Amino acid sequence: MDLCGKLETDVQIKSPAKKFHEILHLSPHHMPNVTKNPKHHIRGCELHEGEWGKVGSVLNWTYFHGGKECVAKELIEAIDEEKNLITFKVTDGDILEHYKSFKFTMQCIPKKKGSVVHWTLEYEKQHDKIPESHESLLEFCVDVSKDLDAHLMEMDNN
């Protein structure tokens, strides 16, 4: 069994790519007001170190996943504002109980109508007995994307 892996998915959204990216890049602390799905809800995001929206900053996330409250400390590893891309590397928290490393990359690509959110999850399992739970983390990203899109569309309609 391979311990390293990579999962990718695309989520079609109606929101402009730049607006979508700006929330995760500059205002992730607003995400608890955005996510509505009780199965995949972000409960909090606090700045632990650095500055909001800067590479090298560390964020503390509290979220509900897999039927329980979870935490993650993530380093903002890369930001490309022109490509609407951000990469978070998990440095501490529940995810690392099962993984040696875990990284989330989100890129929002503008289209004629709306955008496509491209998620990439890269991981290395602690050992080969770890269940394939990373797929539920990809589902989490999809659900959060849909919630953020709905929130942005609601803001545009007001």
Side-chain angles (χ1 to χ4, degrees), residues 75-104:
L75 170 73
I76 299 176
E77 194 172 73
I79 297 170
D80 186 329
E81 291 184 55
E82 287 183 26
K83 293 182 179 178
N84 299 311
L85 180 138
I86 190 163
T87 299
F88 297 98
K89 178 182 177 183
V90 179
T91 60
D92 196 8
D94 294 292
I95 292 173
L96 296 184
E97 289 176 9
H98 300 292
Y99 299 93
K100 288 182 184 178
S101 65
F102 209 100
K103 191 182 294 190
F104 296 86

Side-chain angles (χ1 to χ4, degrees), residues 52-66:
W52 290 112
K54 300 289 184 190
V55 171
S57 296
V58 178
L59 307 177
N60 285 328
W61 296 88
T62 308
Y63 58 99
F64 195 77
H65 177 258

Side-chain angles (χ1 to χ4, degrees), residues 28-147:
H29 52 288
H30 291 298
M31 291 302 292
N33 302 325
V34 169
T35 57
K36 305 292 186 210
N37 187 329
K39 286 174 41 182
H40 300 122
H41 181 69
I42 295 175
R43 299 190 187 251
C45 180
E46 297 175 353
L47 183 64
H48 179 73
E49 189 177 303
E51 296 178 46
W52 290 112
K54 300 289 184 190
V55 171
S57 296
V58 178
L59 307 177
N60 285 328
W61 296 88
T62 308
Y63 58 99
F64 195 77
H65 177 258
K68 68 176 189 163
E69 181 111 0
C70 299
V71 295
K73 187 181 284 186
E74 296 180 348
L75 170 73
I76 299 176
E77 194 172 73
I79 297 170
D80 186 329
E81 291 184 55
E82 287 183 26
K83 293 182 179 178
N84 299 311
L85 180 138
I86 190 163
T87 299
F88 297 98
K89 178 182 177 183
V90 179
T91 60
D92 196 8
D94 294 292
I95 292 173
L96 296 184
E97 289 176 9
H98 300 292
Y99 299 93
K100 288 182 184 178
S101 65
F102 209 100
K103 191 182 294 190
F104 296 86
T105 299
M106 185 283 303
Q107 182 177 15
C108 199
I109 304 154
K111 297 293 179 188
K112 283 185 180 180
K113 287 191 174 188
S115 308
V116 172
V117 180
H118 182 79
W119 283 99
T120 305
L121 280 56
E122 298 174 82
Y123 59 88
E124 181 181 1
K125 293 180 180 184
Q126 295 276 6
H127 51 77
D128 63 2
K129 303 275 190 267
I130 298 295
E132 301 296 324
S133 61
H134 47 269
E135 289 181 14
S136 70
L137 289 168
L138 192 63
E139 181 183 325
F140 179 91
C141 295
V142 169
D143 288 345
V144 167
S145 297
K146 289 177 181 177
D147 283 351

